[in-house]
Amino acid sequence: MRTRRVTFRLYPNRKQEQILRYHRKLHQDLYNAAVCNRFTQYQKFNHRVDYFEQQNSLPAFKEVWVEYKECNCMTLQATLKRVDYAFNRWFKGLAKRPKYKSIRHYSGWTYPSKTGWKVHTTGDNGYLDLAKIGSIQMRGKARSWGTPTTCTLVYRNGKWYASITVNLTELQAASKEPTDFGSVGIDLGCKSALAITDGKNHSFMRPPKFLRKAEAKIKHLSKGKRRKTAPNRKKKQKGSRRWKKNQAKISKVTRKVANQRQNWVHQVATDIVRCNSFVATEKLEVSKMTRQAKKGKRKKQKAGLNKSILDVGMGMLRSAIEYKVKDAGGVFIEVPTRQVKPSQTCPNCGNQQKKTLDERVHHCHKCGFTMDRDLAAALVMLLWALGILPGLGTSLVDADVSSSTSETRQRKQTGSMKQLGQAKRQKHKPIGLVVETQTSTK
């Protein structure tokens, strides 16, 4: 049994729009109340509230706050589960202290079971029935449709979406479009978004530069926004109506850029997977690649490079290719970049030599092999994934993928995240809890 998430765009009428906004506000207030309850109980009474205690108090809570009787009980439990998930991540040291959320940063709510909603579709458009809200028209098309299990309503950029999780049977998961049994290596970059090679045929794909094209318009609108009264929490000052109106225009332009990039990514990934069932690419850490430079170290140039990397959408593109290849029954391999060094390795003899970023042509001083730098890197990754790259220590058998980065090596030395979280909790454990545990053991 496989699960897949399908997103549909919702088109509610004016009355349904008001009800959806009202329910979203109720769930946001419940989330903040649950966070406040946990902090207050621990600070004043040294009592640690868990999920089941808050869940069992929902009936009494709805008797006092009568408006929550309009919400489905399962959705309220799912909201409390979000709070419990946030606190568990904080206790394990994986996230920061949970905060109160404003309505701007609270997207929606979830129906965790099949009660309270029903979808009328076979994967292509249709209607969504919500209890006490009505039937809402939705638009979208799923690549494959199964049995709906959960539904999450999301409000993003002034529009409503329904994210539905479906279960696929083995027969439904196996009914995919046929794909050719080709093998390619892909190198992602800024000058050429993709350098693709199968060993014989080579091709480049230029970056679309959606953000660069819209940058002048965003700059013009931002200049007008600076002349208007912006919100300031410290001064308890609200943003003016003209500021909000100008901000909406900027959000519309940036949203269009994001949609264009996402559409381009899916088209490129589909074209690659349609012709190939074996894809090899480099292991990217986009968050580290786009880290800001320190003062005095070419900060302006690094900011421009970061913008180009994010404009291409390397992480999104890699993820789209990966799940589309695996969904089609193919093989996706990430080459350990730090160990193999594709841009510095010769695909003909396996010799490694350092290159600067301005050297765009690979020329091996050992064997004399000459090739475009990006294509040579893509060819190295393909040969390494197939296990036929010349040289020692660069084959699929010899390399250790799990220890290919310095981050994983550091984790082996310092312990796992679970151990770090336990050590952090022991360090910051309150004195009252220590005394209580000591008295209970006597």
Side-chain angles (χ1 to χ4, degrees):
M1 186 73 69
R2 294 181 57 184
T3 60
R4 177 173 293 169
R5 188 174 292 275
V6 185
T7 303
F8 295 93
R9 166 83 185 278
L10 298 180
Y11 293 87
N13 55 34
R14 183 175 298 179
K15 184 178 179 180
Q16 293 171 344
E17 175 83 17
Q18 294 177 353
I19 299 176
L20 289 174
R21 287 176 177 269
Y22 179 62
H23 280 229
R24 175 170 164 243
K25 177 63 177 174
L26 291 178
H27 282 276
Q28 179 242 347
D29 292 339
L30 178 63
Y31 182 93
N32 292 337
V35 172
C36 180
N37 174 251
R38 290 201 176 205
F39 285 139
T40 305
Q41 288 288 327
Y42 188 79
Q43 292 171 359
K44 291 187 176 181
F45 307 104
N46 203 16
H47 172 61
R48 183 170 175 177
V49 181
D50 59 356
Y51 164 72
F52 296 102
E53 183 176 347
Q54 290 186 331
Q55 176 187 338
N56 295 334
S57 63
L58 277 177
F61 177 80
K62 290 195 288 186
E63 291 297 328
V64 178
W65 303 94
V66 188
E67 57 267 24
Y68 281 92
K69 292 184 178 180
E70 300 181 8
C71 301
N72 184 273
C73 61
M74 294 292 182
T75 61
L76 301 179
Q77 294 176 9
T79 302
L80 295 179
K81 198 67 180 176
R82 289 186 183 183
V83 178
D84 184 66
Y85 178 72
F87 273 86
N88 287 337
R89 283 180 57 84
W90 179 41
F91 294 151
K92 293 178 182 179
L94 301 176
K96 295 182 180 180
R97 185 178 188 267
K99 298 179 181 180
Y100 301 109
K101 291 192 176 183
S102 64
I103 194 64
R104 275 184 69 187
H105 299 97
Y106 197 84
S107 57
W109 65 96
T110 303
Y111 292 86
S113 61
K114 298 181 180 180
T115 60
W117 67 283
K118 188 174 182 181
V119 59
H120 302 277
T121 181
T122 57
D124 189 4
N125 302 330
Y127 293 89
L128 178 66
D129 282 339
L130 299 176
K132 300 182 180 179
I133 296 179
S135 181
I136 305 176
Q137 184 181 4
M138 66 182 191
R139 183 181 178 184
K141 187 174 182 180
R143 288 184 290 124
S144 56
W145 185 253
T147 305
T149 55
T150 66
C151 177
T152 301
L153 297 182
V154 181
Y155 181 78
R156 185 172 63 246
N157 297 325
K159 299 179 178 60
W160 285 95
Y161 300 90
S163 182
I164 301 174
T165 304
V166 296
N167 287 337
L168 302 178
T169 61
E170 295 182 359
L171 182 62
Q172 291 171 335
S175 58
K176 312 179 188 73
E177 295 183 1
T179 179
D180 295 336
F181 296 96
S183 302
V184 292
I186 300 176
D187 180 73
L188 303 174
C190 296
K191 184 178 180 181
S192 299
L194 293 97
I196 308 172
T197 179
D198 60 356
K200 297 181 180 179
N201 302 317
H202 316 300
S203 61
F204 291 96
M205 190 166 294
R206 295 183 177 276
K209 297 183 179 180
F210 297 115
L211 180 61
R212 295 290 187 180
K213 294 176 182 177
E215 202 170 12
K217 191 172 183 179
I218 295 175
K219 187 176 181 180
H220 175 72
L221 293 174
S222 300
K223 185 178 179 180
K225 189 182 71 171
R226 288 194 294 267
R227 299 193 184 101
K228 299 166 179 60
T229 305
N232 193 329
R233 288 189 175 182
K234 294 182 179 179
K235 297 181 180 179
K236 296 182 179 180
Q237 176 179 289
K238 293 184 178 180
S240 63
R241 294 179 60 184
R242 296 174 64 203
W243 185 91
K244 293 178 181 179
K245 189 175 181 180
N246 207 298
Q247 178 62 36
K249 293 180 181 179
I250 299 175
S251 301
K252 185 177 181 180
V253 176
T254 55
R255 183 168 66 248
K256 182 180 178 180
V257 170
N259 292 338
Q260 287 176 330
R261 185 185 298 112
Q262 187 177 17
N263 181 50
W264 176 78
V265 163
H266 282 283
Q267 289 180 355
V268 170
T270 302
D271 292 340
I272 293 173
V273 175
R274 188 181 290 118
C275 305
N276 304 282
S277 60
F278 185 93
V279 178
T281 185
E282 56 187 329
K283 187 171 185 179
L284 294 175
E285 297 179 2
V286 182
S287 60
K288 293 184 179 180
M289 292 167 58
T290 56
R291 187 177 296 169
Q292 293 183 358
K294 297 181 180 179
K295 293 183 178 180
K297 292 189 177 182
R298 302 175 66 86
K299 187 175 181 180
K300 189 175 182 180
Q301 289 82 351
K302 187 63 173 67
L305 178 61
N306 294 348
K307 187 180 293 185
S308 300
I309 293 174
L310 297 174
D311 196 9
V312 173
M314 293 184 183
M316 186 190 304
L317 188 57
R318 191 209 61 82
S319 300
I321 296 174
E322 180 182 6
Y323 88 79
K324 286 181 183 291
V325 168
K326 291 182 178 179
D327 188 59
V331 179
F332 180 87
I333 294 180
E334 280 187 319
V335 178
T337 311
R338 292 181 181 271
Q339 184 173 349
V340 180
K341 300 179 181 179
S343 61
Q344 301 177 15
T345 305
C346 178
N348 190 38
C349 65
N351 179 47
Q352 291 185 351
Q353 59 187 32
K354 291 186 178 181
K355 302 186 189 74
T356 57
L357 288 176
D358 58 344
E359 297 181 40
R360 305 313 306 170
V361 177
H362 167 77
H363 178 73
C364 183
H365 299 292
K366 186 176 181 180
C367 65
F369 182 76
T370 303
M371 195 179 193
D372 183 86
R373 174 176 176 158
D374 296 337
L375 285 177
L379 185 58
V380 167
M381 288 184 280
L382 176 61
L383 297 178
W384 183 90
L386 296 175
I388 57 176
L389 179 65
L392 297 176
T394 54
S395 64
L396 185 62
V397 180
D398 298 333
D400 183 12
V401 180
S402 61
S403 61
S404 58
T405 60
S406 60
E407 183 180 357
T408 53
R409 286 196 296 268
Q410 186 178 2
R411 284 183 183 177
K412 290 181 180 179
Q413 296 174 1
T414 58
S416 62
M417 292 300 296
K418 184 176 181 180
Q419 294 172 349
L420 292 175
Q422 291 176 354
K424 185 176 181 180
R425 288 197 299 273
Q426 291 175 1
K427 182 178 180 181
H428 298 283
K429 186 178 291 185
I431 300 176
L433 291 179
V434 177
V435 175
E436 184 179 352
T437 55
Q438 291 176 352
T439 54
S440 60
T441 55
K442 289 182 180 180

